[in-house]
Amino acid sequence: MLAGKVVGSIVATRKNDKLVGNKFMIVEVVDKMRAKEQQLIAVDNIGAGIGEYVLVAQGSAARVGCNMKDAPIDAAIVGIIDDGTRLE
């Protein structure tokens, strides 16, 4: 699981049928947790907003975390961090 900051949103009008109705956010992984990725796109079905720090699950945990086991999801926002000041 990674921590990151929501820096924007992205719209995909054409997408897999199992992704219809989902919001997609651009998440910048915090420096302390960064390996290779600097930004990723994550499904957001909990209502995170731009500027909020979030928890992101990846891989099969992302699909399970947002209850979409058969959808082509690699990353999902699974929590909003109350206080992200220590992450900066």
Side-chain angles (χ1 to χ4, degrees), residues 6-7 10 16-17 19 23 26-27 29-30 33 41 46 50 56 64 74 85:
V6 178
V7 295
I10 192 164
N16 183 284
D17 290 341
L19 298 176
K23 183 170 89 171
I26 301 168
V27 177
V29 178
V30 296
M33 297 188 157
I41 296 171
I46 63 169
I50 294 173
V56 178
V64 171
D74 183 53
T85 55

Side-chain angles (χ1 to χ4, degrees), residues 48-65:
I50 294 173
E52 290 187 296
Y53 285 96
V54 293
L55 296 173
V56 178
Q58 293 185 294
S60 62
R63 291 185 292 277
V64 171

Side-chain angles (χ1 to χ4, degrees), residues 7-82:
V7 295
S9 63
I10 192 164
V11 176
T13 304
R14 296 180 64 184
K15 56 188 162 277
N16 183 284
D17 290 341
K18 295 182 182 201
L19 298 176
V20 173
N22 286 284
K23 183 170 89 171
F24 299 96
M25 304 303 279
I26 301 168
V27 177
E28 187 170 306
V29 178
V30 296
D31 286 337
K32 294 178 183 178
M33 297 188 157
R34 187 174 294 162
K36 291 184 280 182
E37 304 96 4
Q38 292 186 20
Q39 290 186 339
L40 50 88
I41 296 171
V43 169
D44 173 27
N45 59 9
I46 63 169
I50 294 173
E52 290 187 296
Y53 285 96
V54 293
L55 296 173
V56 178
Q58 293 185 294
S60 62
R63 291 185 292 277
V64 171
C66 63
N67 206 17
M68 299 173 68
K69 295 178 185 175
D70 296 326
I73 295 171
D74 183 53
I77 296 173
V78 295
I80 299 172
I81 297 172
D82 294 331

